[in-house]
């Protein structure tokens, strides 16, 4: 009986919603971090094993629901992008304007 108790673990997942729609959680944090690291949505998507299209849908949803831009669409070539400061603040947990928008 004691052996079973030693294997038990408590786990949970947290995410942020706005009006019942997901805005931010573990996967989106990994995405923003990878975009910041690689400067490429395409490379970031590959790194976290999602499609480029799915990555863009996450970014657009976060931006629309928060009402702020997280990714610079003007930098470099077609797929070369970088996070704006607000995107960096969001994934690093510093908050800033993104935190204010979600009521923090």
């Amino acid at each position: 009986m004691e052996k079973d108790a030693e294997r038990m673990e408590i786990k949970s997942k947290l995410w942020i919603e706005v009006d019942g729609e997901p805005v931010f959680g573990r996967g989106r944090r990994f995405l923003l971090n990878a975009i910041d690291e690689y400067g490429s949505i395409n490379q970031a998507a590959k790194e976290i094993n999602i499609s480029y299209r799915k990555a863009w849908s996450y970014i657009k949803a976060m931006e629309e629901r928060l009402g702020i831009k997280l990714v610079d669409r003007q930098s470099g070539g077609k797929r070369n992008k970088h996070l704006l400061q607000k995107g960096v603040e969001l994934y690093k947990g510093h908050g800033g304007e993104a935190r204010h928008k979600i009521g923090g």
Side-chain angles (χ1 to χ4, degrees):
M1 187 71 159
E2 287 181 32
K3 209 167 202 176
D4 290 335
E6 290 175 13
R7 292 189 306 228
M8 248 189 265
E9 294 181 48
I10 297 173
K11 295 185 177 189
S12 67
K13 290 184 180 184
L14 296 173
W15 62 92
I16 300 167
E17 294 182 354
V18 172
D19 297 327
E21 297 291 332
V23 173
F24 192 73
R26 184 175 181 232
R28 293 171 193 223
R29 179 175 56 88
F30 289 153
L31 174 61
L32 295 179
N33 181 45
I35 293 169
D36 193 33
E37 184 175 340
Y38 296 105
S40 163
I41 294 170
N42 188 40
Q43 185 61 40
K46 287 178 184 175
E47 190 67 24
I48 65 168
N49 297 314
I50 63 172
S51 70
Y52 178 80
R53 183 176 177 167
K54 181 75 145 182
W56 259 119
S57 74
Y58 284 164
I59 293 164
K60 288 177 185 177
M62 286 187 287
E63 290 180 337
E64 287 172 9
R65 293 170 190 159
L66 291 171
I68 58 175
K69 294 294 178 196
L70 302 172
V71 176
D72 178 12
R73 288 155 174 75
Q74 305 303 317
S75 64
K78 182 178 176 184
R79 295 190 191 253
N80 187 20
K81 308 291 182 222
H82 73 270
L83 285 184
L84 297 172
Q85 185 60 35
K86 294 169 191 169
V88 173
E89 290 171 356
L90 182 62
Y91 92 81
K92 286 189 174 181
H94 297 177
E97 186 177 347
R99 186 172 176 181
H100 175 72
K101 294 272 187 176
I102 56 178

